[in-house]
Amino acid sequence: MTVAQAAALLQPAPDYAIDTKKLNLWYGTFQALYDVDLRIRQGMITSMIGPSGCGKSTYLRSVNRINERLGYVRIEGRIDVMGQNIYDPGVELIQVRKQVGMVFQRPNPLPISIRDNILFSHRLHAKGGGDVHPGTPDEIVEESLRTVLLWDKVKDRLKRKATELSLEEQQKLCIARLLPVKPKVLLMDEPCSALDPKGTEAVEELLWELRGQYTILIVTHNMAQARRASEECVFMLMGKVVEHALTAEMFVTPIHRETADYIEGRYG
Amino acid sequence: MAISTTASRATIAAVGGADSFDRRNADWYVDKAVQVLVFVCGISAIIFVLGIFVFVTKEGIGFVFQHLDFKEFFLTPYWFPSDADDPEYGILALMAGTASVTGLAMLVAIPFSLGAAIYIAEFATGKTREALKVLVELLAAIPSVVWGFIGLVIMNPLIIKWFDVPVGLCVLNAGIILGLMAAPIMTSIAEDALKAVPDRYREAAEAMGATRWQVTYKVVLPAAKNGLLGGVLLGVGRGFGETMAVLMATGHAVNIPDSIFDSVRALTATIAAELGETVVGGEHYQVLFTIGILLFLVTFIVNLSADLIVRGIRKG
């Protein structure tokens, strides 16, 4: 047994990047999530499907606690991200959000330059001495943009406003700007719904590239997308997790009746 | 004739099973009437502005062409309009009065109103926010004579006591009063500007781990800067044109101030105080209207540029 293996035994790296136990969530008096138990494998792309209002976005948004902006959200249960409960009272929200990046439905680059967008998060977190990309700003910008296959397109206009880019480029930028702070998990809330088929394909390819380095959890309305761009799939209905299986299995031999009906387009 | 037309139409309608396409009912006339009415109301603002401008110009322009010595008017501080032998019309001191009071007012009002707007728009929630908004609007509605009264009766003795000066009606007094007067409007406009920043920017920044203040400082304020600047300019316009409170709180002494404890006199207050004593159409009367033209032009330019700046953000 090598030293590395011994160390791995002492501190086993969790197989699951996200481990959810009995998560209940209320918006005011409306309960949106019921006893959600969900374990998301590390380094994989997991998609979440289900009809509108089934709670998939709500679940996604509670993994980096962005839900709490609303002020009237109440949560019970726990979500462990990389082995730590993010709802522990001692947890710093800022650290949670550093570890768990989020990409939104509508591309939302900040109305500043492309370069400043990439460095925004890095500047926030570098001061605290956290684990961030150690390079110079120029290196960070180049590497992040190369990772999302955007560098060649925008390298001559880094000082231009990010909001001038096409929607596809904006969405890629929104992914790129998360990378310099080395997140473990990337949450994506219907990241392609504002894009055309070409842009969708490009973003899906990018997700496939990022697989392994990051745990990716993607909410989608598009079943074909879930099928071709994810390894595991979660089906939710009325605030509950109905089925969680390998994507290939779920789309061929769903266990539950509701899953089969949804996949075949009988409702939703 | 008319009857037969109606009758034949009725027949066609009955035969065709539908109303003819050129039939007009009462709603059509109401719609036309309302359109005309609101059009008249809408352009009345333009008519009034032009009318006032023409009137003020007509009364004051005679002086500009016949007696006005630009150098004396703008560059000397001697204002003796009622001197029987040799009246002097220098408005330098009056301009200095207006400028110093407005300037100090902005020093008071800008941080105050920006802070209030940031709190209301970015930090306060629920009932606190609603209550504050109502209170700010209420504050904006306090008549200026009440502010002037506060300057005269409360601020005056306080300034005398605290700073040990002989007179408390001065630039400091009027500046603070005017600043407090302008702050509510500036707060309202600044808050609108902050609200106009799309919430997805805040969400994006917060999702990356920015604190509320970082979101405000790094994202919201830069995105709203045009609207904020517009608000400040409107505040300047307000301060510039304010009359009653300034008349009461400045001390109304023609003077180029050396310190904030000097009494001054404002352009607006001069018109208000002297117009009633002049002979209509006389030289003094005309020169007051010339000041009116000047005030009109300056406020017009300030408001116009504020408007253009605010429009600028909508496009961008």
Side-chain angles (χ1 to χ4, degrees):
Chain A
M1 195 156 61
T2 65
V3 178
Q5 277 170 324
L9 274 182
L10 284 173
Q11 266 192 331
D15 288 340
Y16 299 102
I18 307 170
D19 191 348
T20 316
K21 291 188 191 93
K22 288 232 174 294
L23 185 73
N24 286 281
L25 184 145
W26 292 263
Y27 291 117
T29 54
F30 170 75
Q31 186 164 6
L33 294 179
Y34 294 86
D35 287 336
V36 171
D37 284 307
L38 205 52
R39 298 165 123 191
I40 306 298
R41 278 187 194 283
Q42 200 176 329
M44 278 200 175
I45 302 180
T46 304
S47 61
M48 302 187 73
I49 58 171
S52 291
C54 70
K56 55 193 193 302
S57 281
T58 297
Y59 173 74
L60 193 78
R61 295 168 71 86
S62 47
V63 181
N64 83 340
R65 296 180 60 176
I66 194 73
N67 259 341
E68 285 161 45
R69 293 187 75 222
L70 296 173
Y72 51 87
V73 174
R74 193 161 62 81
I75 288 163
E76 278 175 11
R78 60 185 289 166
I79 300 180
D80 289 3
V81 173
M82 308 308 284
Q84 265 193 72
N85 180 13
I86 59 167
Y87 284 100
D88 195 90
V91 157
E92 281 298 323
L93 215 50
I94 291 160
Q95 299 309 323
V96 173
R97 289 172 179 169
K98 175 184 170 299
Q99 297 263 334
V100 185
M102 177 127 185
V103 177
F104 294 83
Q105 190 167 0
R106 206 166 147 206
N108 56 0
L110 299 172
I112 49 183
S113 73
I114 295 172
R115 185 187 151 86
D116 287 340
N117 260 285
I118 297 286
L119 293 171
F120 187 87
S121 172
H122 190 266
R123 284 175 182 149
L124 293 179
H125 296 289
K127 273 183 293 183
D131 178 27
V132 295
H133 193 296
T136 66
D138 287 333
E139 289 167 11
I140 293 169
V141 170
E142 182 171 347
E143 196 184 310
S144 307
L145 286 170
R146 275 194 195 284
T147 311
V148 299
L149 316 171
L150 209 55
W151 173 252
D152 290 324
K153 271 188 205 159
V154 302
K155 65 182 174 200
D156 299 321
R157 42 180 175 147
L158 294 173
K159 294 269 160 67
R160 300 284 293 275
K161 266 200 172 186
T163 39
E164 290 170 10
L165 296 171
S166 75
L167 283 176
E168 176 203 331
E169 290 163 349
Q170 288 187 17
Q171 197 63 303
K172 284 179 167 175
L173 179 69
C174 289
I175 297 172
R177 69 178 172 190
L178 301 174
L179 308 182
V181 298
K182 301 186 174 175
K184 300 289 180 293
V185 177
L186 299 180
L187 305 173
M188 312 219 169
D189 191 358
E190 304 196 31
C192 300
S193 66
L195 308 183
D196 59 13
K198 219 177 124 268
T200 302
E201 196 189 335
V203 170
E204 282 175 13
E205 272 172 23
L206 170 61
L207 295 191
W208 213 249
E209 294 273 323
L210 296 175
R211 189 177 50 110
Q213 270 188 75
Y214 304 94
T215 305
I216 297 173
L217 188 57
I218 175 172
V219 161
T220 176
H221 248 108
N222 178 339
M223 262 175 289
Q225 178 174 55
R227 189 166 189 172
R228 67 178 174 252
S230 71
E231 293 155 284
E232 285 197 3
C233 189
V234 177
F235 173 64
M236 285 185 77
L237 191 63
M238 313 277 280
K240 292 178 182 134
V241 173
V242 175
E243 195 162 338
H244 180 189
L246 291 174
T247 305
E249 284 174 15
M250 187 190 278
F251 278 88
V252 180
T253 51
I255 299 167
H256 292 86
R257 182 67 202 254
E258 294 97 329
T259 319
D261 286 350
Y262 181 73
I263 288 170
E264 284 166 30
R266 291 208 192 107
Y267 64 90
Chain B
M1 186 62 202
I3 296 169
S4 76
T5 318
T6 320
S8 66
R9 271 189 192 167
T11 321
I12 294 166
V15 172
D19 287 339
S20 70
F21 287 127
D22 57 355
R23 206 171 70 92
R24 291 169 179 177
N25 61 12
D27 289 345
W28 187 89
Y29 293 102
V30 170
D31 181 58
K32 282 287 162 214
V34 169
Q35 279 189 30
V36 171
L37 189 70
V38 292
F39 172 73
V40 170
C41 294
I43 61 164
S44 65
I46 300 173
I47 294 169
F48 286 135
V49 169
L50 283 179
I52 291 169
F53 185 67
V54 167
F55 170 71
V56 172
T57 313
K58 191 170 77 62
E59 299 296 313
I61 205 80
F63 177 82
V64 175
F65 286 129
Q66 286 158 27
H67 309 284
L68 181 67
D69 174 354
F70 268 93
K71 226 169 132 189
E72 187 204 321
F73 190 65
F74 286 110
L75 296 179
T76 64
Y78 309 113
W79 179 257
F80 301 114
S82 39
D83 189 313
D85 304 324
D86 180 22
E88 286 190 81
Y89 305 111
I91 62 164
L92 183 65
L94 306 182
M95 290 195 297
T98 290
S100 58
V101 171
T102 309
L104 186 67
M106 288 307 113
L107 285 184
V108 173
I110 290 171
F112 228 117
S113 55
L114 270 188
I118 289 173
Y119 180 70
I120 295 173
E122 303 296 320
F123 290 87
T125 50
K127 281 186 180 150
T128 325
R129 168 186 276 179
E130 293 311 312
L132 275 174
K133 279 168 79 167
V134 172
L135 280 174
V136 167
E137 311 264 297
L138 212 69
L139 212 56
I142 294 177
S144 65
V145 67
V146 174
W147 285 108
F149 186 74
I150 292 170
L152 208 59
V153 177
I154 299 174
M155 297 277 291
N156 184 26
L158 278 183
I159 290 176
I160 293 176
K161 201 170 101 189
W162 285 346
F163 299 104
D164 195 24
V165 286
V167 183
L169 298 173
C170 55
V171 175
L172 179 66
N173 190 336
I176 291 173
I177 290 293
L178 198 56
L180 294 179
M181 279 179 75
I185 301 164
M186 289 165 64
T187 306
S188 260
I189 295 168
E191 194 222 328
D192 285 346
L194 296 176
K195 276 284 180 55
V197 175
D199 195 50
R200 56 177 205 276
Y201 294 156
R202 295 185 187 86
E203 193 174 54
E206 267 188 58
M208 283 188 275
T211 61
R212 291 288 269 288
W213 171 240
Q214 283 169 328
V215 172
T216 307
Y217 173 71
K218 294 190 171 197
V219 179
V220 179
L221 287 183
K225 65 175 187 297
N226 285 8
L228 296 176
L229 192 59
V232 168
L233 277 184
L234 282 179
V236 172
R238 173 98 166 91
F240 205 81
E242 175 49 41
T243 308
M244 191 42 88
V246 172
L247 174 64
M248 293 164 83
T250 49
H252 206 54
V254 180
N255 182 21
I256 293 180
D258 289 329
S259 81
I260 54 170
F261 298 109
D262 283 351
S263 290
V264 291
R265 188 198 274 206
L267 289 163
T268 48
T270 306
I271 301 179
E274 293 180 4
L275 193 61
E277 304 160 3
T278 59
V279 182
V280 174
E283 205 172 270
H284 187 188
Y285 175 90
Q286 287 188 345
V287 79
L288 290 179
F289 272 93
T290 308
I291 296 178
I293 298 174
L294 183 71
L295 282 170
F296 189 95
L297 286 178
V298 173
T299 19
F300 183 73
I301 291 167
V302 168
N303 280 312
L304 189 70
S305 37
D307 202 50
L308 290 178
I309 289 171
V310 172
R311 265 164 215 278
I313 25 164
R314 300 233 177 91
K315 267 192 241 151

